[in-house]
Amino acid sequence: MTHILADKWPESLDEALYLCRELLEDTDFPTLRRWREAGGKVLGHFQVYFPEEIAHAAGLLPFKVHGAPIEARQAEARFGSYLCSILKTSLELALSQRVVLDMFVAPPICDAARNLAAVWGRNLSYPCQILYLPQNANSGHAAEYLRGEYDRLRRVIETVAGRPVTEAGLRASLAVFNTNRRLLHRLYAIKRETPWLLSADEAYVLMAVGGLIPREEHNALLQTVLPHIEARPARPQDRIRVVFEGGFCEQPPLDLLRTVAQFCYVVDDDLLIGLRWIQNDVPLEGDALLNLARAYLDDSTYSPVQHDLRKPKEAMLLQRLRGARANAAIITAAKMCEPGLDEQVAYSKALDEAQIPYFVSEFEENMTSFDHLQIQLETFVENLLFA
C-alpha cells in the first residue's frame, strides 16, 4: 500500500488532531496530490453513501466529495441560483483543478444532486457515473437489484483502474473497511459514554479525514489515538447532552462544531453518516457484492435521502436520542437543502410530541460568523440548565 502521509501517525494526540485539522481545512487536498504523484488513481464520490470497498479493491483511492469553503466562481455558471452550496463547491473543486479525479460517482439523493453527475460529465473528461440506489428498499428484489448496480460500477472501475476487481480483492477490502467501521463505532462510543474526553470538533476531524486518505492509514490513525483519548484525565462538566442532526450531506464548518462544543456535549450525530452507514461487519463468506448490498439495506442507519419503511426518520431520531441518553436535540439543515429542511418539520413535530427540547438552526459550509448562533445556543442551554 502506498503511504501518502507517513509510515506511522504522531504518538501525541494533540499532534494527530492538529494534522487532521490541517488536512481537512486545506482546500488544495494535499493527500490526493501525493497519492497521484505516487502513481495512484482517485475515485471521487458524492454524498451520502458509496460502497468504497469496490474502488479500494481496484487499487483506487476513494475520495469523499462534500464541497469545501471556497468561492464557486466557475461552477456558478453551471447551476441555478437557488441550490445548496455543496453542489457548486464540489464541482468547483474539479473545475479549478484543486481536485483531480479519474472517475466520479454521484447518487441521485435529491432533485438537485440527480443532475450533478451529468453536469460534471459535460465539463470533465473522465467517466462520471450515477449510482442508482434502490428507490424501494423494502422490495424483496432490492438486494439483487443493488448487487447488479454494484457490479455495473465494478466493471467501469476496472476499466479506469486497468485491473480486475476479484472476489478475493473484494473480501480483503471488506475486511479493511470492517475494521474501520469498528474503530469509528469505538470513537462514537467515547462520545456517548464519556463525552468530556472528546469534543464534537475533535471527533469530527478524526472521522472525516478518513475520506481523504487510504483506509488502512485511517485505521492506523484511530488505533493510535483512541487509547490516548480514553486515557485523558478530563472530568465531566455541567453541560447538556445533545444529538446533532442535519449533517448527512453538506457539512457544517468546523468552527460551528467548536461553537456547539463550548456549551454542549454532542453525544451522537449524523455528520458524514455515509462513513458509518453500515452498522456491523459485512460477512466475508459468500458473494461479496451481494453481502455489501444486503448490509446497505438491512444492517444500516437512516438518512433523509433513503426511503425505508422499516426506518421511519422520526422514530429513528428518537431512538438515537434515547440510545445516547441525550437531553436535547440540535436540528439543523444546510441552506437550500430540501431533504434537510423537510425533515426539520417532521423532526420538530416528533420532538414536541415526545416533549424533548430542541434547537433549530441552518448553516452553510462557507459561513464564517457564529456570534448570533452562539448567543442563541447559550440562551437555549441556560434555559435547560436553570429551568
Side-chain angles (χ1 to χ4, degrees), residues 182-238:
R182 287 195 298 271
L183 291 167
L184 287 174
H185 291 326
R186 184 176 163 192
L187 181 74
Y188 268 70
I190 295 172
K191 281 168 61 88
R192 285 192 304 274
E193 302 304 323
T194 52
W196 51 91
L197 298 181
L198 187 67
S199 67
D201 56 296
E202 290 176 332
Y204 181 79
V205 299
L206 290 172
M207 171 185 62
V209 76
L212 305 175
I213 60 177
R215 208 50 55 97
E216 292 90 341
E217 289 194 41
H218 193 221
N219 289 347
L221 162 68
L222 295 174
Q223 288 164 344
T224 298
V225 302
L226 284 171
H228 293 297
I229 296 170
E230 292 164 339
R232 272 179 160 175
R235 295 184 178 182
Q237 298 181 10
D238 190 18

Side-chain angles (χ1 to χ4, degrees), residues 248 303-304 313-314 331 338-348:
F248 62 93
S303 157
K313 313 297 188 304
E314 299 90 334
I331 306 300
E338 289 188 12
L341 293 169
D342 284 348
E343 291 301 332
Q344 272 192 339
V345 178
Y347 287 155
S348 298

Side-chain angles (χ1 to χ4, degrees), residues 49 53 173-186 215 219 274-282 292:
Y49 172 79
E53 291 91 336
S173 293
L174 285 175
V176 170
F177 280 76
N178 282 344
T179 299
N180 189 251
R181 283 184 279 267
R182 287 195 298 271
L183 291 167
L184 287 174
H185 291 326
R186 184 176 163 192
R215 208 50 55 97
N219 289 347
L275 294 176
R276 299 173 286 122
W277 183 259
I278 295 173
Q279 296 296 288
N280 294 292
D281 284 0
V282 179
L292 199 53

Side-chain angles (χ1 to χ4, degrees), residues 13 16 25 33 38 137 152 200 203 222 240 242 345 383:
L13 177 58
E25 295 185 324
R33 185 177 64 252
R152 178 185 68 82
L222 295 174
I240 64 168
V242 302
V345 178
N383 285 338

